[in-house]
Amino acid sequence: MEESSSSTRSGEQREKMKKVLEKTVKKRSKEEQEEQEDEIFNFNNKCTEEEEEEREENLSDSEDSVFSGLEDSGSDSADDEDEEEEGSDHNGAENDDEDLKIEEEEKKKMMGPVTEKKEDEYKQDSSDEEDIRNTVGNIPMEWYKDFPHIGYNLDGKKIYKPIRNKDELDEFLDKMEDPNYWRTVHDKQTGSDIVLSDEQVALVNRLQRGQFGDVDFNEYQPQVEFFSQDVMLHPVTNRPADKRSFIPSLIEKQKVSKLVHAIKMGWIKPRRTEDASRGRYYDLWANEDSSILAKHKMHLPAPKIPLPGHQESYNPPPEYLFTDEERALWEQQDASDRKLPFVPMRFSSLRQVPAFPRFLHERFERCLDLYLCPRQRKMRVNVNPEDLIPKLPKPRDLQPFPTTQSLVYRGHSGLVRSISVSPSGQWLASGSDDGSVRFWEVRSSRCMGTVQVGGAVKSIAWNPNPLLCLLAVAQGSVVLILSPSLADRQVVLSTERLLSGQQEAESTEEAGPVTWSDMEGEELSHGIRLKIQHPKAVHQVTWHAKGDYLASVMPDHSSHLQVFIHQVSRRRSQNPFRKNKGLVQCVSFHPVRPYFFVGTQRSVRIYNLVKQEMTKKLQANSKWISSMAVHPGGDHVICGSYDCRLSWFDLDLSTKPYKMLRHHKKAVRGVAHHRLYPLFASASDDGSVIVCHGTVYSDLLQNPLIVPVKVLRGHVITHDLGVLDVTFHPTQPWIFSSGADATIRLFT
Amino acid sequence: MGGLQKKKYERGSVTNYITRNKARKKLQLSLPDFRRLCILKGIYPHEPKHKKKVNKGSTAPRTFYLLKDIRFLLHEPIVGKFREYKVFVRKLKKAYGKTEWSAVERLKENKPAYKLDHIVKERYPSFIDALRDIDDALCMSFLFSTFARTGKCHVQTIQLCRRLTVEWMNYVIASRSLRKVFISIKGIYYQAEVMGQLITWLVPYQFSHDHPTDVDYRVMATFTELYTTLLGFINFRLYHSLNLLYPPKLDIKAESELKEEDDEDYAMNSESYLEKLSALSTSLARVVSTEEEEEAELDKFPDEEEDLEKMEAREMEQKQQEAQKKLFEGLKIFLNREVPRESLAFLIRCFGGEVSWDKSVCIGSAYEVTDETITHQIVDRPNIDKQYINRYYIQPQWVFDCVNAKLLLPVEDYFLGVTLPPHLSPFVEEKEGDYVPPEKLKILALQRGEKPVQEEEEEEDDEEEEEDDEEEEEEDDEEVEEKSLKKMEEQRSQGKSLPVKVTPGKVKVDNPARLEQEEKAEEKRLAIMMMKKKEKYLYDKIMFGKKRTIRETNKLTAKRKAHDDAEKSKKKKTRK
């Protein structure tokens, strides 16, 4: 070992010395090295006998190249390491392992020639004794660098260095010229060059290949099996058999019994038999049973998905595409409000159509619908709308009735609240908010006279007695009795007589809540004859059919003094009610019998004036009654209300309305019956007057026939008020209406 | 007054309903299991008439099921299976936790499974019932068959869906029962008439889905489970009704032809058969291999004399249908690479055409592009380099429009690079008063056998417009008259300021017809006033709907007119 290590050191030393020369060769060697690497790898891979010659040559080159390559690269790459192994004889050790290897190899190389020589030496010495010619031991040989010798032999004599050290040039020349250069090895310890024999080179090659050094050694000898299938005569070991090898295992038994128990109990199943019928289809409906079908009657199949329309096409007609506004609207709308769940789009060809992004959502929603939506049978009404319209007698068959507007009476400056026609049908009186009462001639629409009463006129009523010519006017808390003297002389005279006859009785009257007084001076010249002072504002006046009695209404919540009945001939007033039964809206006398109708807010009460008791109470089914009219027969009443309704009561039938008519769009202000013709009319804030035909049959079993025959329009709506009052001509099928536009219109 | 006090909510409608939670507890199922059961058994909630009564006075939002339905669920064998499955999962978890792999394996082997055959039979006691409800099943199966084989659901399910849909399509081809198709932006709608039932299904375009997060795939998977079972049984029955083998077998001749090609490189052996089936290029094998069965002519029973017309109409319809079935017969069509192969092959084969495609697109192509006998080539690109003279190069919409029009439309409108005519929905049946797009009118004219003459139509349009104008004018006249009347009236009323003047009056010509009309209208208006409240409501609703359709129609016509005008002006400009 000493020797080898020393040799390596001497090598290193030499290498240093050679550095200068080597640099010149470096470039060439590098190139060579690269070439060699490839080749070397090739060798490592396939080292066949045939190529041995070639390899020998190569090896010579490689040695050199490795030599120089190591110098500059410092063997930092893996390739270099490989090379080291190749030309390991000169290498300085990098790692310990490598060091060892190399040393061994070197030793063996050294052994080659030694074994040849020293066949006899083995006999003398022990086999592991080294060949010691230089006794300096395992020291760095550079220590002898400056001496002429390099050590001492066994006899203690100096071993001199060879006389002439080869320099680089010599080396180079040797390399170039000497054919044995590649197999020349430098012995550092003796300083001599040794030429390796063929056997030695072969040995080195074998070792490099990782083979045994001995050529004759067979690596692949057949193995002798110790335990074999052949039954031996004698046991291999003499150990007695374990007890467990012949006694059945308790644990195993427990496990098995557990499993068996579990199988018995059905907890675990011993390998399921593959159910062959799964996933196999057969004729499920082979025997259709009608009994099941009958059971199935109540089943509601899910509705199918609606089929797509033109909008859903990938290439719809252009009119189905959204305009910008529609698109903006679509985007603004909530998903549930949209008419279409998608935006129609147009693609010029099929290949441009993309996937629909909400496809999965829609399918999922359908699934949800199928199992989460309550289903209900919906009866689809398949009705022809024409069939719904009731079959009524044609209006043409129900003539006469007013159809066209023929005259307009202008002159008032305020809204005309109330109108009344004289019993002869020649004169029309109207009271307006401008504080005047005007008399018109019906046929010519001429204003025959104007009476200023000094306040808004709430109500006006012409005495129905044709032998008198009197007019009652409600203004503020006063009821005025006018005598317009627009009649025959006889009539005027009889009126005068009636009014003057009262004066005697006047003195006897004691002072009550109502005071009667005669008018004098200018007012008398206007025709105002009497003034009946009331405690509160009067809203309505109405005459009894005979023309002697007059009723006035003062709506008030808190008092029972709401209605007064005045007798003109005796200048007497009385309050028929002791109790307040609600806000009185309007009153009316029965045309023939001694009944008195009082319309309160929700109902109409009918009093018998003779017996002094209430006979009936009609429920109007409306929120607020505005007006009331009694049929000339006296068995039917119509009520208009502020909630747009008109109710027709049949007094013989029920206290509930026989018919509710919702013809008007706005509050009903006035209603009227015709005295002779079967007509009634209602006026409303929507500016229309609706004339209806209402035949009443004397036969009690037959219900009245009510048919609307005409909608009359003409009044202009001012301040949200339309037509305020309506009244029929006493003899002709004509109708007068007064409106908020300060006009009175005649429809014929 | 003796007697027990009556307790509230123990009688009446409350006894018929049960809330969802109570039902769940009664069945001892978790909510997902309950849902699954409801889906499979087709149980849906019911809306009680008086919700508050049923809800025992509370107004909290609850879903109610009929107690009868829930009782019916109690005896369902599948409920037991659900419970078993729950136990199985628990055991499996435990085994995993203890790392007992043998136990895991054993458990997995014994995984409880259920069959849905009896449920299908119960829900659809007759075959026709099942067929009627198949729409959703088909839609779902087609959707699932387009899913990627990863992620959202089991691969087996996807494969099964694919198989069933392919079988269905093959049946439709074999029975030639397809009636209508429609390319929408969502996918392609098909409508087939099978045993008198109209069946519509939607096939999505072949793109990968980006799976949304707000969709519960468990619900969809449960539906699919039921639907695949249903579809399988229906397919079986349908195949047998046509004497076809089920599971489908390709015709032996065709099979041998196919085998000649080396299809190993196309698909794995196990899949190749399904692929060949799904190519839709070959006919199926019959149980009794007979040649085309002669359709037995239906005997004519002259039932009643009145029905003669109906009979004739029906006959006509049948003839038309027969003609439609043979629509593409004699055509040899080649599909270019870029057109959707499956839908077009399906269509063309459904109507008796011959179809082929590029070998690299799919298995089962019958002939090459170079075949000289090809009559039509379907192309969906702006132009094509090498064109054969003896064939038409047309866009795919032609096929779809032909099917819907029930006749071979002129190919000129569908040539390469031509702006296609609009594709109309065949499902829209216009009633009177509905908007009919002009393209539809054209097709109807073609169906009647008229030659398309564009000018005529335009004239018609003009006439219509004129009529409209006239009406408007009349209205205008009326208005003008009214106005003048009003003016006169005003003048008359303010007569004092008016200078008295007599002007020659115009003779007013009364139009008796018009007067009559007006009178009738008024009569109607008055009669409407007398309607009962209920009827009035209904009448108003009907009239509102009618008015809305009219409004929409008008809007569409106006839009179309504007569009056409714009087009015309553009054309003029370009001409100049």
Side-chain angles (χ1 to χ4, degrees):
Chain A
M1 290 294 276
E2 275 181 10
E3 211 179 15
S4 63
S5 63
S6 68
S7 72
T8 54
R9 264 158 208 150
S10 67
E12 282 171 357
Q13 182 191 355
R14 261 188 68 180
E15 279 158 20
K16 276 179 188 168
M17 285 162 60
K18 282 177 188 170
K19 258 184 193 170
V20 185
L21 201 107
E22 270 171 0
K23 273 179 187 168
T24 58
V25 195
K26 210 183 272 173
K27 276 185 186 170
R28 197 206 120 217
S29 65
K30 250 191 181 173
E31 290 165 4
E32 269 184 359
Q33 178 193 347
E34 282 166 4
E35 288 174 14
Q36 291 312 313
E37 278 170 13
D38 295 347
E39 284 167 339
I40 286 160
F41 278 115
N42 288 341
F43 285 129
N44 286 347
N45 293 338
K46 32 177 178 176
C47 42
T48 47
E49 299 281 324
E50 303 151 3
E51 291 173 357
E52 229 174 41
E53 290 175 3
E54 215 182 297
R55 192 201 314 156
E56 277 172 11
E57 287 175 21
N58 283 333
L59 266 176
S60 69
D61 284 340
S62 77
E63 208 172 43
D64 180 47
S65 65
V66 165
F67 205 67
S68 51
L70 261 182
E71 264 316 298
D72 50 32
S73 70
S75 80
D76 35 17
S77 67
D79 294 357
D80 283 62
E81 279 172 37
D82 287 351
E83 289 158 34
E84 276 167 45
E85 282 168 39
E86 292 281 311
S88 51
D89 29 358
H90 292 290
N91 272 352
E94 306 289 325
N95 309 329
D96 289 11
D97 292 7
E98 272 178 49
D99 213 349
L100 274 175
K101 251 189 226 166
I102 294 160
E103 277 167 4
E104 278 171 8
E105 282 169 25
E106 263 179 336
K107 196 173 78 187
K108 274 164 192 163
K109 279 174 225 162
M110 300 303 290
M111 294 283 277
V114 171
T115 44
E116 271 175 47
K117 281 183 204 168
K118 295 187 177 176
E119 216 58 71
D120 46 350
E121 264 185 21
Y122 277 118
K123 286 162 192 169
Q124 295 165 8
D125 300 320
S126 64
S127 63
D128 50 1
E129 200 170 315
E130 296 183 29
D131 166 35
I132 308 163
R133 271 167 284 181
N134 193 350
T135 58
V136 287
N138 193 7
I139 54 159
M141 291 312 284
E142 65 230 60
W143 291 349
Y144 286 92
K145 178 167 74 176
D146 300 331
F147 299 100
H149 61 281
I150 53 166
Y152 308 92
N153 63 9
L154 285 169
D155 304 330
K157 297 274 172 50
K158 283 179 181 170
I159 305 173
Y160 290 97
K161 285 180 187 167
I163 295 157
R164 198 180 131 241
N165 257 346
K166 279 185 192 165
D167 58 359
E168 296 294 338
L169 205 58
D170 293 332
E171 190 86 7
F172 180 68
L173 287 174
D174 275 354
K175 193 176 175 180
M176 289 292 107
E177 288 160 6
D178 190 3
N180 279 337
Y181 178 79
W182 65 273
R183 57 165 77 183
T184 315
V185 174
H186 182 72
D187 187 2
K188 283 172 193 163
Q189 276 197 319
T190 53
S192 59
D193 287 344
I194 301 163
V195 177
L196 298 179
S197 68
D198 280 350
E199 290 92 51
Q200 282 170 327
V201 169
L203 180 69
V204 168
N205 280 340
R206 290 173 67 80
L207 287 173
Q208 276 177 340
R209 261 179 269 145
Q211 290 171 334
F212 272 94
D214 190 359
V215 188
D216 303 327
F217 181 74
N218 184 7
E219 297 160 68
Y220 305 109
Q221 282 172 354
Q223 193 186 354
V224 179
E225 299 271 328
F226 187 72
F227 295 102
S228 66
Q229 57 179 7
D230 306 325
V231 181
M232 298 292 187
L233 189 60
H234 300 289
V236 180
T237 65
N238 209 13
R239 191 155 177 251
D242 283 326
K243 191 181 176 185
R244 64 168 178 262
S245 66
F246 52 87
I247 288 181
S249 158
L250 202 63
I251 297 166
E252 268 177 21
K253 191 184 156 194
Q254 277 172 348
K255 271 190 184 166
V256 169
S257 66
K258 256 188 192 170
L259 283 175
V260 168
H261 184 59
I263 289 170
K264 266 187 193 166
M265 300 301 285
W267 296 332
I268 59 172
K269 290 191 180 70
R271 203 173 299 271
R272 189 184 50 179
T273 49
E274 193 55 48
D275 193 356
S277 65
R278 247 190 119 239
R280 288 275 299 280
Y281 300 113
Y282 52 91
D283 195 356
L284 191 68
W285 294 279
N287 41 355
E288 279 179 10
D289 200 353
S290 58
S291 66
I292 307 171
L293 284 178
K295 235 191 251 173
H296 219 58
K297 243 180 216 165
M298 285 306 288
H299 174 70
L300 286 180
K304 295 194 170 187
I305 298 178
L307 291 169
H310 298 312
Q311 304 95 330
E312 212 181 305
S313 169
Y314 87 105
N315 182 14
E319 61 267 32
Y320 288 99
L321 293 171
F322 277 170
T323 57
D324 291 342
E325 299 134 44
E326 281 171 326
R327 206 194 158 87
L329 181 74
W330 189 89
E331 272 159 9
Q332 265 181 7
Q333 274 174 332
D334 191 56
S336 56
D337 296 338
R338 286 170 185 166
K339 213 179 265 178
L340 287 176
F342 55 87
V343 183
M345 276 184 290
R346 188 193 181 113
F347 301 97
S348 60
S349 66
L350 188 57
R351 69 171 185 277
Q352 287 168 332
V353 185
F356 188 62
R358 287 195 55 80
F359 195 92
L360 271 167
H361 284 102
E362 288 196 347
R363 203 92 280 287
F364 179 59
E365 273 156 24
R366 170 74 179 167
C367 285
L368 290 188
D369 281 354
L370 283 177
Y371 89 103
L372 283 181
C373 271
R375 289 181 207 165
Q376 238 165 13
R377 252 180 238 282
K378 203 167 187 182
M379 300 307 287
R380 228 187 144 68
V381 194
N382 200 2
V383 199
N384 185 5
E386 299 302 319
D387 295 347
L388 289 173
I389 300 171
K391 294 277 168 289
L392 294 173
K394 281 189 180 171
R396 197 190 296 171
D397 306 338
L398 300 173
Q399 273 168 348
F401 53 84
T403 50
T404 49
Q405 173 182 309
S406 48
L407 286 177
V408 181
Y409 304 87
R410 285 179 204 276
H412 282 295
S413 54
L415 39 91
V416 186
R417 283 211 185 261
S418 182
I419 47 173
S420 184
V421 192
S422 71
S424 62
Q426 194 180 356
W427 309 105
L428 173 72
S430 65
S432 160
D433 266 11
D434 59 3
S436 66
V437 173
R438 279 174 189 259
F439 298 96
W440 315 82
E441 190 179 18
V442 168
R443 284 173 187 277
S444 62
S445 81
R446 265 178 65 193
C447 182
M448 297 303 288
T450 311
V451 180
Q452 292 293 337
V453 291
V457 178
K458 292 281 181 203
S459 175
I460 193 166
W462 209 293
N463 194 325
N465 189 349
L467 298 177
L468 294 172
C469 179
L470 278 179
L471 191 73
V473 176
Q475 177 258 316
S477 60
V478 176
V479 173
L480 301 169
I481 308 288
L482 267 75
S483 162
S485 56
L486 287 170
D488 292 349
R489 200 176 168 73
Q490 223 163 9
V491 171
V492 173
L493 275 177
S494 67
T495 312
E496 284 297 318
R497 213 178 303 132
L498 175 73
L499 289 174
S500 58
Q502 291 153 3
Q503 281 171 348
E504 290 122 42
E506 191 193 9
S507 56
T508 58
E509 199 191 328
E510 70 245 38
V514 177
T515 51
W516 291 68
S517 54
D518 273 324
M519 300 304 289
E520 287 156 359
E522 198 190 333
E523 286 167 328
L524 188 66
S525 65
H526 282 304
I528 304 173
R529 305 296 299 266
L530 282 173
K531 181 177 161 193
I532 309 168
Q533 183 71 41
H534 285 70
K536 271 166 279 182
V538 179
H539 272 234
Q540 198 212 348
V541 285
T542 181
W543 289 94
H544 186 257
K546 292 269 169 58
D548 196 16
Y549 289 96
L550 173 71
S552 62
V553 180
M554 299 167 285
D556 183 12
H557 275 296
S558 52
S559 134
H560 65 281
L561 289 174
Q562 294 196 73
V563 181
F564 277 101
I565 297 180
H566 314 280
Q567 193 178 10
V568 177
S569 57
R570 297 172 68 187
R571 300 206 178 179
R572 226 171 52 173
S573 303
Q574 64 167 352
N575 174 21
F577 304 117
R578 226 166 292 141
K579 266 187 196 161
N580 173 15
K581 288 268 178 70
L583 195 65
V584 176
Q585 294 296 314
C586 48
V587 295
S588 177
F589 286 98
H590 193 281
V592 267
R593 271 177 279 173
Y595 285 122
F596 188 55
F597 296 84
V598 180
T600 56
Q601 194 180 325
R602 308 290 293 269
S603 59
V604 177
R605 288 156 203 273
I606 304 169
Y607 294 93
N608 189 332
L609 290 172
V610 177
K611 287 183 184 168
Q612 305 236 327
E613 62 180 17
M614 193 176 84
T615 53
K616 233 169 217 172
K617 187 181 167 192
L618 307 174
Q619 295 293 343
N621 284 358
S622 55
K623 295 274 150 44
W624 200 304
I625 291 173
S626 64
S627 52
M628 176 173 64
V630 183
H631 190 266
D635 279 346
H636 301 268
V637 177
I638 52 173
C639 276
S641 69
Y642 288 116
D643 51 354
C644 325
R645 291 163 203 229
L646 180 88
S647 35
W648 172 289
F649 293 97
D650 190 343
L651 297 184
D652 298 329
L653 199 69
S654 157
T655 57
K656 295 267 161 57
Y658 158 65
K659 203 130 211 178
M660 296 286 281
L661 306 175
R662 291 175 206 80
H663 297 166
H664 288 288
K665 299 279 182 308
K666 282 185 178 168
V668 178
R669 290 272 169 186
V671 289
H673 259 298
H674 200 283
R675 255 175 56 191
L676 303 174
Y677 293 102
L679 289 175
F680 65 91
S682 57
S684 159
D685 273 350
D686 57 7
S688 68
V689 173
I690 296 180
V691 182
C692 298
H693 177 91
T695 319
V696 173
Y697 301 97
S698 52
D699 181 9
L700 281 178
L701 289 174
Q702 206 164 1
N703 285 328
L705 170 78
I706 298 171
V707 182
V709 286
K710 190 72 191 173
V711 181
L712 300 168
R713 291 175 200 282
H715 284 284
V716 182
I717 298 167
T718 41
H719 309 299
D720 280 343
L721 292 172
V723 189
L724 294 175
D725 199 8
V726 66
T727 185
F728 277 102
H729 191 274
T731 50
Q732 297 292 328
W734 296 347
I735 192 165
F736 300 91
S737 66
S738 69
D741 55 350
T743 60
I744 302 158
R745 286 161 200 257
L746 168 66
F747 300 92
T748 55
Chain B
M1 305 288 278
L4 284 170
Q5 195 185 355
K6 266 187 204 168
K7 276 187 186 167
K8 257 186 161 181
Y9 310 122
E10 286 196 342
R11 276 201 243 179
S13 58
V14 70
T15 52
N16 293 332
Y17 293 96
I18 186 170
T19 61
R20 190 190 62 181
N21 248 2
K22 272 195 179 159
R24 202 175 58 71
K25 273 182 189 150
K26 191 165 190 172
L27 293 167
Q28 299 179 17
L29 286 174
S30 64
L31 189 56
D33 275 346
F34 179 69
R35 267 190 203 139
R36 201 171 299 149
L37 189 66
C38 285
I39 290 170
L40 293 178
K41 294 283 281 182
I43 303 292
Y44 47 85
H46 280 256
E47 189 87 349
K49 251 187 187 167
H50 301 287
K51 220 169 175 194
K52 205 174 160 190
K53 259 185 206 168
V54 172
N55 213 350
K56 303 195 173 167
S58 140
T59 49
R62 286 210 177 91
T63 31
F64 293 99
Y65 288 85
L66 278 185
L67 193 62
K68 245 186 193 171
D69 286 348
I70 300 300
R71 280 214 199 100
F72 166 66
L73 288 183
L74 274 175
H75 306 291
E76 178 55 46
I78 278 202
V79 177
K81 290 282 182 187
F82 283 162
R83 291 194 194 117
E84 251 174 55
Y85 194 83
K86 203 169 66 184
V87 173
F88 160 74
V89 169
R90 204 169 53 212
K91 277 183 183 168
L92 198 69
K93 261 186 196 167
K94 200 171 171 185
Y96 265 117
K98 287 182 169 179
T99 63
E100 289 172 346
W101 303 122
S102 63
V104 167
E105 207 143 289
R106 197 192 67 231
L107 283 170
K108 271 188 178 167
E109 251 170 29
N110 287 320
K111 185 178 170 183
Y114 51 83
K115 290 204 298 186
L116 298 174
D117 306 6
H118 65 282
I119 288 186
V120 170
K121 172 84 191 190
E122 181 188 278
R123 282 184 68 171
Y124 307 105
S126 73
F127 180 59
I128 292 297
D129 281 341
L131 209 54
R132 201 179 295 147
D133 241 17
I134 206 184
D135 286 18
D136 286 310
L138 281 172
C139 286
M140 195 65 118
S141 298
F142 272 102
L143 172 64
F144 264 65
S145 62
T146 59
F147 277 177
R149 306 272 152 118
T150 49
K152 290 296 170 190
C153 62
H154 293 298
V155 181
Q156 291 96 316
T157 318
I158 295 170
Q159 278 167 344
L160 182 62
C161 284
R162 175 72 187 151
R163 202 190 96 195
L164 291 171
T165 51
V166 165
E167 283 168 10
W168 170 258
M169 285 199 286
N170 271 311
Y171 167 76
V172 172
I173 289 174
S175 63
R176 298 233 172 144
S177 49
L178 195 71
R179 293 286 171 270
K180 287 168 182 175
V181 266
F182 177 48
I183 320 171
S184 86
I185 49 175
K186 293 180 186 172
I188 300 177
Y189 286 88
Y190 299 92
Q191 190 173 59
E193 192 181 351
V194 180
M195 302 195 164
Q197 299 293 327
L198 280 179
I199 293 161
T200 318
W201 69 96
L202 171 62
V203 182
Y205 291 117
Q206 295 282 340
F207 291 107
S208 65
H209 301 270
D210 48 341
H211 292 283
T213 48
D214 51 345
V215 165
D216 188 356
Y217 280 89
R218 279 190 302 179
V219 171
M220 302 246 278
T222 315
F223 269 105
T224 314
E225 210 174 5
L226 178 75
Y227 285 156
T228 47
T229 320
L230 172 66
L231 200 54
F233 285 121
I234 285 178
N235 277 348
F236 184 91
R237 173 100 178 206
L238 287 176
Y239 270 71
H240 279 255
S241 70
L242 280 191
N243 272 338
L244 294 171
L245 282 173
Y246 189 90
K249 287 260 157 41
L250 296 176
D251 217 1
I252 301 162
K253 273 187 285 175
E255 207 176 340
S256 58
E257 273 171 35
L258 268 184
K259 254 183 195 164
E260 282 168 22
E261 302 168 23
D262 43 348
D263 45 42
E264 279 82 39
D265 54 339
Y266 182 72
M268 267 158 47
N269 244 353
S270 58
E271 286 176 351
S272 67
Y273 205 78
L274 181 62
E275 290 295 336
K276 273 182 221 160
L277 266 180
S278 63
L280 305 173
S281 60
T282 44
S283 50
L284 300 176
R286 289 179 187 265
V287 177
V288 191
S289 58
T290 51
E291 285 307 301
E292 290 279 312
E293 286 164 53
E294 288 297 311
E295 291 254 331
E297 289 258 325
L298 281 177
D299 294 334
K300 290 166 194 167
F301 298 107
D303 292 341
E304 289 162 43
E305 282 166 25
E306 309 161 354
D307 284 353
L308 254 173
E309 276 184 26
K310 272 189 193 172
M311 286 270 287
E312 271 173 23
R314 211 183 302 152
E315 258 175 50
M316 277 284 286
E317 210 169 278
Q318 255 182 2
K319 259 186 198 171
Q320 220 175 20
Q321 256 183 27
E322 287 301 313
Q324 196 198 1
K325 276 180 189 175
K326 291 171 183 168
L327 184 63
F328 292 138
E329 230 153 65
L331 299 189
K332 216 168 171 187
I333 298 173
F334 188 84
L335 306 179
N336 237 23
R337 297 185 54 89
E338 68 276 1
V339 299
R341 186 201 69 84
E342 194 172 280
S343 60
L344 279 169
F346 176 56
L347 273 188
I348 293 163
R349 291 261 298 131
C350 267
F351 296 99
E354 267 186 281
V355 64
S356 179
W357 44 83
D358 198 277
K359 230 180 214 171
S360 57
V361 175
C362 186
I363 201 169
S365 66
Y367 42 87
E368 300 270 321
V369 209
T370 50
D371 196 334
E372 290 289 333
T373 54
I374 291 173
T375 55
H376 294 75
Q377 183 164 351
I378 296 176
V379 180
D380 196 4
R381 50 175 88 177
N383 51 7
I384 199 163
D385 295 337
K386 196 184 166 195
Q387 292 199 359
Y388 291 79
I389 297 168
N390 60 346
R391 67 175 78 154
Y392 294 118
Y393 287 87
I394 42 173
Q395 301 198 39
Q397 196 190 316
W398 179 76
V399 180
F400 292 87
D401 281 351
C402 283
V403 168
N404 290 337
K406 297 178 186 173
L407 52 99
L408 290 179
L409 292 173
V411 284
E412 291 82 25
D413 298 342
Y414 299 90
F415 280 154
L416 290 191
V418 167
T419 318
L420 289 168
H423 181 61
L424 298 172
S425 165
F427 303 116
V428 180
E429 272 162 24
E430 279 92 357
K431 275 171 261 161
E432 221 178 280
D434 283 354
Y435 176 71
V436 187
E439 288 81 10
K440 179 122 183 176
L441 292 175
K442 241 181 247 175
I443 288 172
L444 285 176
L446 275 176
Q447 276 174 343
R448 269 179 266 126
E450 293 165 18
K451 291 266 172 179
V453 186
Q454 283 197 329
E455 291 158 342
E456 238 175 64
E457 264 174 34
E458 275 175 20
E459 273 172 29
E460 274 173 32
D461 282 1
D462 289 352
E463 275 170 28
E464 274 171 33
E465 281 163 28
E466 276 169 24
E467 275 171 27
D468 287 347
D469 287 347
E470 273 173 27
E471 272 174 34
E472 279 168 25
E473 274 168 27
E474 279 172 25
E475 279 165 27
D476 287 347
D477 285 347
E478 228 172 281
E479 277 175 25
V480 169
E481 269 174 39
E482 271 175 32
K483 269 184 192 168
S484 63
L485 263 181
K486 264 187 190 172
K487 240 185 211 171
M488 277 169 68
E489 196 180 279
E490 270 173 35
Q491 282 170 351
R492 212 190 300 162
S493 62
Q494 294 154 2
K496 282 163 197 169
S497 59
L498 194 82
V500 181
K501 205 177 175 185
V502 178
T503 48
K506 278 180 194 167
V507 181
K508 228 178 162 183
V509 185
D510 276 352
N511 189 353
R514 188 161 169 185
L515 271 178
E516 203 174 314
Q517 240 181 11
E518 269 175 28
E519 206 170 284
K520 265 196 181 159
E522 196 180 354
E523 238 171 68
K524 200 174 156 188
R525 234 173 7 230
L526 290 169
I528 286 167
M529 284 202 315
M530 282 306 282
M531 271 166 120
K532 281 176 197 159
K533 205 175 172 184
K534 218 170 167 183
E535 284 173 351
K536 182 82 189 296
Y537 175 74
L538 184 63
Y539 181 81
D540 281 349
K541 242 173 121 178
I542 293 172
M543 293 324 272
F544 177 77
K546 277 192 173 176
K547 266 179 200 162
R548 193 178 46 199
T549 50
I550 289 170
R551 211 169 47 227
E552 270 164 20
T553 308
N554 289 345
K555 198 175 152 193
L556 285 176
T557 36
K559 252 171 129 181
R560 178 69 184 215
K561 207 183 160 199
H563 175 83
D564 285 352
D565 288 349
E567 290 283 294
K568 261 185 200 170
S569 62
K570 222 188 251 174
K571 255 188 202 169
K572 270 181 194 171
K573 265 184 195 173
T574 49
R575 230 181 265 165
K576 278 169 190 176

